[in-house]
Amino acid sequence: MLGDLGTAGLAVGLACATLTALLWLRVALFGAAVRTARHGTAATLAAAALACALLETALLRHDFSVRFVAENGGRDVPLYYTLTSLWSALDGSLLLWLLVLGGYAALLARRAYPPRLHAYAMVVVSVVMMFFFALSTFAANPFRAVSPVPADGPGPNPLLQQHPAMGVHPPLLYAGYLGLVVPFAFALAAPLAGRDGARWVRLARPWALVAWAALTGGIGMGAWWSYAVLGWGGYWAWDPVENASLLPWLTATAFLHTTLVRGRVAWHGALACASFLLVLLGTFLTRSGAVASVHAFTDSPLGPMLLGFVLLAVVVSAVLTGRRAPEPARAGRPRALSRASLVLVHGVLLVTIAAVVLIGTILPLLTTPLTGSASSVGPAYYQRTAVPLAVVVLLVMGVTPALRVRDRSAARGRLVVPAGAGLGTVALVGLLSRPGPAALTAFGAAAFVLTGLAGDLAHRLRRPGPHRRPARLAGLVAHAGLALVAVGVAGSSAYGRDAERTLRVGETLRVSDVAVRLIGVDRAGGSGSMAVQARLALTTPGRPARTITPALRYQAARDTAVTVPAIGTGPLRDTYVTLLAVAEDSGTATVRLAVNPLVGLIWAGGALTAAGGLLAAVATARPRTRPAGRAEPPRPAPVAVGPGAAT
């Protein structure tokens, strides 16, 4: 019953999305009233919500006649992970994708924008909705029946039941991905809308900020989840699916920064389109089985349809953005050394990093069919190419705020203290610890940026007026977060230490001044699962010994073993203990002990960066009031977030 209703709901959603696209096209071409088109958008969202609600109901009722429930549900799965099972596998995750996309479409439909621009943008969003409804209906329908009906299901992948981030990370990441459809739609609509399209960049900017903040939070939470769950002790492996989330973040950041320079319409359109096209490419990589990844779904029939839609979107974007769009008044060419020129340099650097990462991500897909053997691009490639470029972005980010001052001598004066702090940091850290050139440069660049931001903040707080507005401070917050992330990445990479050893009861493993001693091994079994944990005494300086219990858990239904690390978090470093293997007689255990310095700065910096983006989005979207009878003041420049100029 639920399966039939769900299939019908998907069919209704596909029909509503198709009709809605036609209604908005009618509005764009003939100036028809938008009321009916808005109702169609709301109906499409309702169909997506109904499909999600029906699948959640089937999961909660353990209706194993529904294929998705039979493959991903289970009677012994806790309630929280039963609810999050909706997006634990390919077919259900597409329903969440449709729900988030429908939410953005409904919000966009209710806004009052220039009529033709608005209508054409809604046509684009509705066509995207139509495609994903078709994908879910014909190629990935989670409501298909199962016969015979099993008595129980295996539950979601055990890795997805180890951390509560399962309920937040995928929805947040989807909110970031799909929010980029709005700037994409505006960029395609602007050349078609004539004069109505002249202001599309300013209208698309708040949507891009919201999407950027959500995507930043999703990437950060994904790194934290990987660190806490997978047991390998790291947070970023340059995995193809990780790269797929980074690529649109880079181009969206470039879009937000290049919009600070007026008259770059071709740049704006290309970057807005590239951001969502990279989302579609990431969807193909994740859901087609084209890449091998712990984050990717398995082989599916979606690959050809997704690839075809990506290619179609690329062609349409190239044709429409290649047309001559309405140009705003140009403010003249920026000086060779000015804030505007450095903002453009940021855009070029970010796009270059995105190109480097994209090449490393898709190269194995291109070379494997030609060579006949599987190939891969390892972390060394990205460390030699993308990481140095990221350090350059950080350095330029520290220079840009000083160039807000028109007086060249004053600008140079504002760089003296940050430059001294950066050079002093390099000298001090290099003499004390010798972390290596890459980490040393990152430390110096971060000190340069943070000192400059502190000086800029003090300068703003001393001056009355608009310089204290949240919109003006949002870039400072986001840039400070990125600098902290750089310190955390450099510190954990340069100073991290680990060791692995098979211990007998009573033996000790040491790394630096941290030690673990094996006390014993405990085993426990249940229905369809088994767990083994090692009891270890952890000793760290200045603290009494305490017992930790890293574990291995085996789930028979999926024939999968997962590692449950024991992580001790401190203000300056983490201790990370993983149980790798246990002897049959429980007399020995193979243990890995890692000491990860400064890794907490990555999570703190990521949260601060996302908060800066959200603050900018709220401040940009908030309507401003002015006293009656007074002329409207000049509109300030948009707010930049990410690795670029703080405004």
Side-chain angles (χ1 to χ4, degrees):
M1 180 63 178
L2 287 174
D4 294 336
L5 289 175
T7 299
L10 290 176
V12 169
L14 176 58
C16 287
T18 305
L19 179 61
T20 300
L22 295 174
L23 289 172
W24 282 110
L25 184 61
R26 178 170 170 262
V27 173
L29 294 176
F30 306 110
V34 301
R35 183 175 180 180
T36 305
R38 284 175 173 167
H39 289 336
T41 304
T44 306
L45 171 61
L50 176 63
C52 288
L54 288 171
L55 191 56
E56 285 285 19
T57 302
L59 286 165
L60 291 170
R61 292 177 55 181
H62 305 303
D63 187 350
F64 297 110
S65 66
V66 176
R67 181 178 62 85
F68 186 85
V69 181
E71 294 176 354
N72 301 282
R75 299 186 186 278
D76 296 330
V77 178
L79 176 62
Y80 177 77
Y81 293 109
T82 296
L83 291 170
T84 60
S85 296
L86 176 71
W87 48 87
S88 66
L90 172 65
D91 302 351
S93 71
L94 277 177
L95 296 190
L96 177 64
W97 188 275
L98 284 169
L99 182 63
V100 176
L101 182 58
Y104 276 115
L107 288 173
L108 181 61
R110 303 301 300 178
R111 301 303 297 267
Y113 290 137
R116 294 191 68 203
L117 176 68
H118 189 202
Y120 277 120
M122 286 304 306
V123 170
V124 174
V125 175
S126 300
V127 168
V128 175
M129 283 283 293
M130 182 175 66
F131 169 74
F132 281 103
F133 260 114
L135 202 65
S136 187
T137 302
F138 299 117
N141 185 350
F143 296 103
R144 292 195 179 106
V146 171
S147 182
V149 178
D152 200 355
N157 188 316
L159 284 172
L160 305 180
Q161 302 181 55
Q162 301 299 318
H163 202 280
M166 176 60 185
V168 182
H169 165 60
L172 194 59
L173 201 61
Y174 287 7
Y177 279 152
L178 295 168
L180 294 173
V181 74
V182 179
F184 171 74
F186 275 128
L188 295 186
L192 301 173
R195 293 183 179 275
D196 279 0
R199 295 185 299 144
W200 77 267
V201 174
R202 183 173 65 83
L203 300 177
R205 189 176 179 80
W207 298 90
L209 283 167
V210 170
W212 186 89
L215 188 55
T216 302
I219 292 173
M221 183 163 287
W224 176 51
W225 187 8
S226 176
Y227 179 76
V229 169
L230 295 183
W232 63 295
Y235 42 81
W236 192 266
W238 296 104
D239 179 276
V241 179
E242 292 174 345
N243 295 348
S245 66
L246 179 63
L247 286 168
W249 185 89
L250 290 167
T251 52
T253 307
F255 170 75
L256 290 171
H257 283 83
T258 55
T259 54
L260 296 171
V261 182
R262 296 181 181 180
R264 306 292 178 183
V265 173
W267 261 88
H268 304 158
L271 289 172
C273 290
S275 298
F276 189 67
L277 291 175
L278 288 170
V279 168
L280 295 177
L281 177 63
T283 306
F284 167 73
L285 293 175
T286 306
R287 289 173 166 80
S288 66
V291 297
S293 166
V294 69
H295 307 285
F297 298 106
T298 54
D299 292 343
S300 74
L302 275 64
M305 294 179 66
L306 282 167
L307 183 59
F309 189 69
V310 171
L311 295 176
L312 176 63
V314 169
V315 171
V316 171
S317 300
V319 170
L320 290 181
T321 57
R323 296 179 56 177
R324 185 173 180 81
E327 293 276 352
R330 293 183 180 271
R333 299 185 63 172
R335 300 192 309 269
L337 185 60
S338 66
R339 177 173 168 272
S341 63
L342 285 187
V343 166
L344 291 178
V345 169
H346 277 131
V348 172
L349 287 171
L350 290 167
V351 171
T352 304
I353 295 173
V356 167
V357 175
L358 180 62
I359 290 171
T361 303
I362 67 173
L363 189 61
L365 301 181
L366 302 177
T367 58
T368 299
L370 297 176
T371 61
S373 59
S375 61
S376 62
V377 175
Y381 162 79
Y382 300 101
Q383 291 166 3
R384 289 194 301 266
T385 55
V387 171
L389 289 171
V391 173
V392 175
V393 169
L394 201 63
L395 288 169
V396 177
M397 187 171 73
V399 173
T400 312
L403 298 181
R404 289 191 309 107
V405 182
R406 293 185 180 274
D407 187 346
R408 292 288 186 90
S409 61
R412 287 193 294 267
R414 293 183 65 178
L415 288 174
V416 170
V417 174
L423 293 174
T425 299
V426 169
L428 182 62
V429 174
L431 288 173
L432 294 178
S433 61
R434 301 183 183 276
L440 199 58
T441 305
F443 286 139
F448 175 62
V449 171
L450 290 171
T451 307
L453 292 175
D456 195 22
L457 178 61
H459 178 70
R460 290 173 185 271
L461 294 179
R462 286 195 301 266
R463 297 177 63 188
H467 299 279
R468 297 187 182 186
R469 288 175 181 165
R472 299 279 186 168
L473 301 176
L476 298 180
V477 173
H479 296 160
L482 287 170
L484 290 179
V485 170
V487 174
V489 171
S492 59
S493 301
Y495 300 120
R497 298 290 183 269
D498 66 89
E500 177 183 323
R501 182 181 167 191
T502 300
L503 301 176
R504 296 184 180 277
V505 175
E507 291 184 338
T508 299
L509 172 64
R510 294 184 180 276
V511 172
S512 300
D513 54 0
V514 178
V516 290
R517 179 173 54 84
L518 181 62
I519 301 172
V521 175
D522 303 318
R523 297 178 182 269
S527 57
S529 64
M530 183 182 72
V532 55
Q533 67 179 22
R535 284 180 287 114
L536 297 161
L538 174 66
T539 305
T540 56
R543 296 186 61 180
R546 63 187 188 278
T547 301
I548 57 173
T549 55
L552 284 169
R553 295 176 183 170
Y554 174 76
Q555 188 184 58
R558 290 190 176 272
D559 191 23
T560 302
V562 296
T563 302
V564 183
I567 305 173
T569 302
L572 296 179
R573 66 181 182 180
D574 288 0
T575 56
Y576 196 102
V577 185
T578 310
L579 178 62
L580 301 177
V582 175
E584 291 185 7
D585 61 358
S586 300
T588 62
T590 303
V591 176
R592 178 180 178 273
L593 170 62
V595 178
N596 300 327
L598 303 178
V599 73
L601 291 179
I602 299 174
W603 326 133
L608 198 62
T609 304
L614 189 60
L615 179 62
V618 172
T620 303
R622 181 185 304 165
R624 295 174 184 168
T625 59
R626 55 190 174 90
R630 296 187 61 180
E632 183 176 355
R635 183 178 298 275
V639 180
V641 295
T647 59

